[in-house]
Amino acid sequence: MRYDTIIIGGSFAGLSAALYLGRASRSVCVLDTRAPRNRFASASHGVFAQDGSDPMTMLATMRAQVAAYPTVRFVDEAAVGAVHENNAFSVTLTKGEVVSGTTLLLAFGITDILPDLPGVAERWGKSVIHCPYCHGYEFNGKRLGVLNLSPMSVHQASLIPEWGPTTFFLNGGAIEQDAAADLVRRGVTIEPAPIERLVGEDAAPFAIRLSNGNEQPLDALFIGPPYRFSSDIAEQLGCAIKAGQLGPCVTVDEMKATNVAGVFAAGDITRSGHTVTFACADGVMAALAIHRSLIF
């Protein structure tokens, strides 16, 4: 069977696109690894009518609603290869099946590259967090830290004091004098010592153990880790890719079309700002563009 659209990625962007295409009675195959980026978080915030909901529960509800449309099929496998031949896209799955589609939507998301610092991974999405707009309110007025990972960390450190008293952990790194002065004016404490590990039994509170033996208690640590694409399909197809603030972005136009005819992209892989709301909106826009491309 040749589908109207193959969607690589079954998270918020991919499901939003599948919903709109299903409602247009178009045949859709959604490839879903069931490993969304925000699976580490217990709650998603800033989404109308879903504020504070478990993101995995949200996705399960969305998937069930999309699956009710008879023209939508789900396959719980990753795409490992994609080629354009005979006016169609052939996508090879992990178990060897090949599915064919007239158009292709890339919505496979990104994978955060966490720092190799003991105690970070087990707290990721709980008390080691990235976005203050998504999770800052829950730590409002508490002891906050920012980990120095890149030049963007200075900007992050200047923003976090909006939510509480903030320490910027240089972790043995350097900071320009003017940037340090700006942070001090914002009330930020700068800690230059390298970090040994995060200690404590629970997600929060915990403590930062420094190389000098001192420990500083915290309720939340904000980090801005780099990221990579969760799939290399965009590169395989020759999609234009540009450098974002912390990782790559697939280049798309206002209708979410890539430079490769018939290939669209949506969600975190297309932007530097990452929220559930953005992802859903991107998926809807991509679906509208795909539907029009199929008609005209």
Side-chain angles (χ1 to χ4, degrees), residues 261-290:
V263 180
F264 300 77
D268 288 356
I269 63 172
T270 66
R271 55 170 64 245
S272 294
H274 304 142
T275 71
V276 170
T277 302
F278 283 154
C280 292
D282 285 353
V284 171
M285 180 61 77
L288 299 180
I290 289 169

Side-chain angles (χ1 to χ4, degrees), residues 126-193:
K126 304 173 182 67
S127 55
V128 176
I129 48 184
H130 171 53
C131 175
Y133 299 104
C134 298
H135 303 290
Y137 184 85
E138 284 63 43
F139 296 99
N140 200 26
K142 297 186 177 181
R143 301 162 298 184
L144 309 178
V146 176
L147 178 61
N148 183 32
L149 291 179
S150 74
M152 284 299 298
S153 299
V154 175
H155 168 72
Q156 190 177 39
S158 70
L159 181 66
I160 299 306
E162 289 292 296
W163 283 267
T166 302
T167 299
F168 185 37
F169 294 91
L170 290 182
N171 194 24
I175 184 172
E176 294 183 0
Q177 186 174 354
D178 289 346
D182 288 341
L183 291 181
V184 171
R185 281 192 289 271
R186 289 282 291 145
V188 176
T189 300
I190 299 177
E191 172 54 67

Side-chain angles (χ1 to χ4, degrees), residues 3 28 39 55 59 107 113 135 152 165 175 183 194 200 214 216 233 240 245 267 270 272 284 292:
Y3 296 93
V28 179
R39 65 190 182 277
L59 287 171
I113 304 171
H135 303 290
M152 284 299 298
I175 184 172
L183 291 181
N214 293 332
Q216 180 165 338
I233 294 295
Q245 294 173 336
T270 66
S272 294
V284 171
R292 283 159 174 73

